[in-house]
């Protein structure tokens, strides 16, 4: 197994500690090199830099306690947290950040850092809530029409890495009527369900090609995608969703299953960009 390169955003929040704890748990399943990254205001004193380094080097010991062979380094860099983390993640396979679930629901336009990073990063981003349940368990994948295959490939690789089952969930709902507009034949519930089932069939075929030995469960749910995934994630280790939009503005204007899901579940959520390829890992 190749050595995984992971970037973790750290600060003094409970969410950041949860992110480190999630990586420490992950260290049990394979070799890794972890870069803890913290952004500092350019005007801080040398004494502040020194005390900050000592504080975060200590939290890195959570990872080496689980895997003494894990290589953990700390990078302190002046700049905005978002840009510092995005820059650091360019040399990684995975970016892990913590979040406060009651705050992450804010629009990206209002400055929600976890959502903003997950919407812009070129690598998969795992968002770990500060009240996360970190455990072994299945991987849950949200399947949606028109999404790139990247999220399916990533989820299959995650399930295979950990030797667990993969649950595919495809959700559908009729559009909400606008005013007095009647429901048309094109909005027949049977057609929506059939479309969701076809999406599952396509995703299952990709999973079989990528990881033929893993157990796959597939389910169609008549509810919002975030609600269906949150329900499926009750005992899961990770929820994976694809990202359609390449910009924060796109995600904010057109809505985001991931944004709603962050608020609904204590299970860590991984957002996979549309351009991600397994060869990157």
């Amino acid at each position: 197994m190749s050595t995984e390169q992971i970037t973790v955003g750290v600060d003094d929040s409970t969410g950041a500690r949860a992110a480190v704890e999630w990586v420490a748990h992950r260290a049990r399943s394979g070799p890794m090199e972890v870069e803890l990254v913290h952004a500092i205001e350019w005007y801080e004193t040398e004494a502040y830099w020194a005390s900050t380094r000592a504080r975060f080097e200590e939290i890195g010991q959570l990872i080496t306690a689980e895997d003494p062979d894990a290589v953990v380094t700390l990078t302190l860099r002046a700049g905005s947290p978002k840009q510092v983390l995005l820059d650091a993640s360019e040399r990684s396979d995975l970016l892990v950040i913590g979040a406060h679930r009651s705050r992450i629901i804010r629009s990206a336009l209002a400055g929600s850092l976890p959502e903003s990073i997950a919407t812009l990063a070129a690598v998969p981003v795992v968002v770990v809530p500060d009240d996360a349940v970190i455990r072994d368990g299945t991987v849950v994948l949200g399947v949606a029409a028109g999404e790139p295959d990247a999220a399916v490939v990533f989820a299959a690789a995650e399930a295979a890495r950990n030797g667990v089952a993969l649950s595919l969930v495809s959700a559908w709902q009729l559009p909400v009527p606008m005013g007095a507009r009647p429901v048309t034949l094109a909005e027949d519930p049977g057609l929506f369900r059939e479309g969701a089932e076809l999406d599952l069939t396509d995703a299952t075929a990709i999973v079989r090609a990528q990881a033929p030995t893993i157990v796959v469960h597939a389910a169609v749910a008549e509810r919002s995608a975030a609600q269906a995934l949150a329900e499926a994630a009750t005992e899961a280790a990770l929820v994976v969703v694809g990202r359609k939009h390449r910009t924060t503005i796109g995600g904010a204007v057109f809505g985001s299953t991931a944004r709603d899901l962050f608020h609904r579940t204590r299970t860590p959520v991984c957002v996979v960009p549309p351009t991600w390829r397994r060869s990157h890992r």
Side-chain angles (χ1 to χ4, degrees):
M1 181 181 292
S2 61
T3 300
E4 188 176 34
Q5 308 290 323
I6 300 180
T7 297
V8 188
V10 293
D11 55 25
D12 291 315
S13 69
T14 54
R17 185 177 182 87
V20 175
E21 291 174 345
W22 185 85
V23 173
H25 184 83
R26 186 179 182 82
R28 304 173 187 175
S29 63
M32 62 174 56
E33 294 180 359
V34 182
E35 182 183 19
L36 305 181
V37 178
H38 177 69
I40 294 182
E41 298 290 351
W42 63 270
Y43 53 76
E44 294 291 356
T45 64
E46 290 186 9
Y48 179 84
W49 282 66
S51 64
T52 299
R53 177 170 293 277
R55 192 163 68 251
F56 292 130
E57 285 178 344
E58 182 177 354
I59 197 173
Q61 294 174 11
L62 293 171
I63 299 171
T64 53
E66 291 292 342
D67 179 9
D69 294 327
V71 177
V72 181
T73 59
L74 173 65
T75 297
L76 305 180
R77 185 169 300 165
S80 72
K82 180 173 72 174
Q83 195 58 52
V84 166
L85 286 174
L86 289 173
D87 289 345
S89 69
E90 290 181 357
R91 52 184 178 269
S92 299
D93 300 311
L94 198 66
L95 173 58
V96 183
I97 54 178
H100 192 299
R101 281 202 302 140
S102 67
R103 297 172 188 165
I104 198 170
I105 199 68
R106 293 183 302 163
S107 165
L109 294 175
S112 175
L113 182 63
E115 182 186 340
S116 179
I117 291 174
T119 308
L120 293 169
V123 299
V125 178
V126 177
V127 179
V128 184
D130 54 359
D131 61 349
V133 178
I134 300 172
R135 60 194 162 206
D136 296 322
T138 61
V139 174
V140 174
L141 169 66
V143 176
E147 287 191 351
D149 297 341
V152 182
V153 175
F154 178 88
E158 281 295 295
R161 171 194 175 96
N162 296 290
V164 300
L166 175 61
S167 294
L168 308 180
V169 178
S170 182
W172 67 275
Q173 285 183 306
L174 285 176
V176 177
M178 300 296 291
R181 182 184 66 84
V183 175
T184 68
L185 290 176
E187 293 165 354
D188 178 0
L191 295 178
F192 277 81
R193 181 179 180 85
E194 181 180 344
E197 290 172 344
L198 288 174
D199 293 336
L200 279 180
T201 300
D202 292 342
T204 301
I206 296 170
V207 172
R208 294 299 186 201
Q210 296 293 324
T213 62
I214 65 172
V215 176
V216 179
H217 304 291
V220 173
E222 186 183 357
R223 54 183 64 87
S224 74
Q227 182 181 355
L229 290 171
E231 292 172 358
T234 303
E235 301 295 331
L238 184 69
V239 182
V240 179
V241 294
R243 191 186 83 204
K244 292 183 179 179
H245 305 292
R246 289 178 171 79
T247 67
T248 303
I249 298 299
V253 172
F254 297 108
S256 167
T257 294
R259 183 196 311 137
D260 194 7
L261 187 58
F262 291 152
H263 185 61
R264 287 176 178 265
T265 181
R266 296 173 63 190
T267 300
V269 176
C270 182
V271 181
V272 181
T275 54
W276 179 86
R277 292 293 181 270
R278 189 175 182 179
S279 59
H280 178 81
R281 303 184 67 171

